[in-house]
Every structure is written in C-alpha cells, then in structure tokens.
Amino acid sequence: GDLTDALNDMSLKISQSEKMESEFISSVSHELRTPLTAINGWGETLLEDESGDVQQLRRGVQIILKESRRLTNMVEELLDFSKMEDGRFTLQLEEVDLQAEFEDAIFTYRELFRQEGIELRYEPGEALLPPVSGDPERLKQVFCNVLDNAAKHGGAGRRIDASLTAEGT
C-alpha cells in the first residue's frame, strides 16, 4: 500500500513537472517570437520600400537593432534561469517614461500590422504621464505582448485602438 502510494505520488509530481516544463517552453517561445516578428517585418518592409526615404530606413534599422538587443537580453535571461529558480532574480528598476516606451511599441508594430491589414490607431493623451519606477525591458515586453495578442486574438476586427491614460492622479 505504502509503495503504491509513493509511486502514485512520484508519478503525479513527474506529470506536474512535465506540464510546467511544457508551459515554460510555450511561454518562452511566445516571448522570443514577438521581437522576431518585429525584426522580420521591418526587414521585409525595408527591402520592399523603394521610396528611398532615409528617415524610414533609419527608423526601421533602429527598431531591428533594438529588438535584436531585446532578443539577446531574453537569451541571457534564459541562461540565468537558475537565478529565478532559487529566488535570486531581480528586476532592473529605474525611472521609466511609460509613454515613450508605449509609443515605441506602437511605432514598432504599426507598419507590421498595416502589412497584415490591421490599422493600429494611437492618440497620445493630453496630459503628460509622470515617470514610474519599473523595469523598462519588462514594460516594453508587456506592451509588445498586448499589441501582439490584440492582433492575433482580437476577433475579426481589423483595427486596434491603443491608448495610455493615468488613473487616480
């Protein structure tokens, strides 16, 4: 009886561990896919752009470089995953211009979405938002994921309206 209970308990723990591993891999894949989508999309946009617009070219290359750096940071975090497992993971907190990070994510995805037939509309609010304490990489990751999910799972709509407002200030 005790041996059977112990085997059943071990089997359950192995099953739970395998499920967690699968969910982790799925989450990591999603996180890596988001900047890759931006890099690929802007690469294709720049290759097909025959306008010769130097400003568009520079902005596209800047986004490609920024998203490449973000991918590099994610890979480094994966390599340091043991820190998270044993509780040594820390956020890199600093004063962050939330609106600038949000607008950067909007600009990154607007052209990509346009190519997919999705209009990304953004109107900046009238009030300037105060800086917040946060990890700029994590915040950009959140904004990019929200936009990416809105495009993928937003139903049949072909428009995304994005805004950023402060509440309770």
Side-chain angles (χ1 to χ4, degrees):
D2 288 341
L3 181 58
T4 302
D5 289 344
L7 287 173
N8 286 337
D9 188 47
M10 286 185 348
S11 176
L12 178 63
K13 287 180 181 177
I14 289 170
S15 176
Q16 289 172 339
S17 177
E18 288 172 348
K19 182 180 178 191
M20 284 178 41
E21 182 180 340
S22 177
E23 289 172 359
F24 173 76
I25 290 170
S26 176
S27 177
V28 167
S29 297
H30 177 77
E31 294 298 324
L32 294 174
R33 193 177 309 118
T34 302
L36 283 171
T37 299
I39 291 167
N40 288 330
W42 272 98
E44 290 172 7
T45 297
L46 296 176
L47 278 176
E48 294 174 10
D49 184 12
E50 296 178 5
S51 70
D53 183 351
V54 175
Q55 192 172 13
Q56 170 89 344
L57 175 67
R58 288 185 60 78
R59 184 66 176 169
V61 170
Q62 288 172 342
I63 288 171
I64 289 170
L65 289 173
K66 188 171 187 175
E67 293 300 303
S68 295
R69 289 184 191 113
R70 203 156 73 90
L71 272 175
T72 300
N73 288 340
M74 286 183 202
V75 170
E76 288 173 3
E77 288 173 8
L78 284 173
L79 295 173
D80 292 336
F81 184 67
S82 64
K83 289 181 181 180
M84 287 173 49
E85 287 183 314
D86 66 14
R88 294 182 293 139
F89 179 78
T90 57
L91 295 172
Q92 301 301 316
L93 296 179
E94 59 187 70
E95 291 294 301
V96 178
D97 182 342
L98 208 55
Q99 190 163 346
E101 291 296 330
F102 186 66
E103 289 174 357
D104 192 42
I106 294 289
F107 191 87
T108 299
Y109 279 88
R110 182 175 278 145
E111 177 62 22
L112 300 174
F113 289 167
R114 186 192 65 73
Q115 291 175 7
E116 296 175 15
I118 301 170
E119 179 186 5
L120 176 56
R121 296 196 327 189
Y122 168 70
E123 293 292 327
E126 293 179 17
L128 287 176
L129 300 175
V132 298
S133 180
D135 185 323
E137 284 299 314
R138 296 294 148 262
L139 289 168
K140 173 81 183 277
Q141 189 175 8
V142 167
F143 293 146
C144 288
N145 285 342
V146 167
L147 292 172
D148 192 49
N149 287 337
K152 288 180 182 166
H153 308 291
R158 303 312 302 166
R159 185 180 86 208
I160 298 170
D161 292 315
S163 64
L164 188 66
T165 59
E167 292 185 11
T169 56

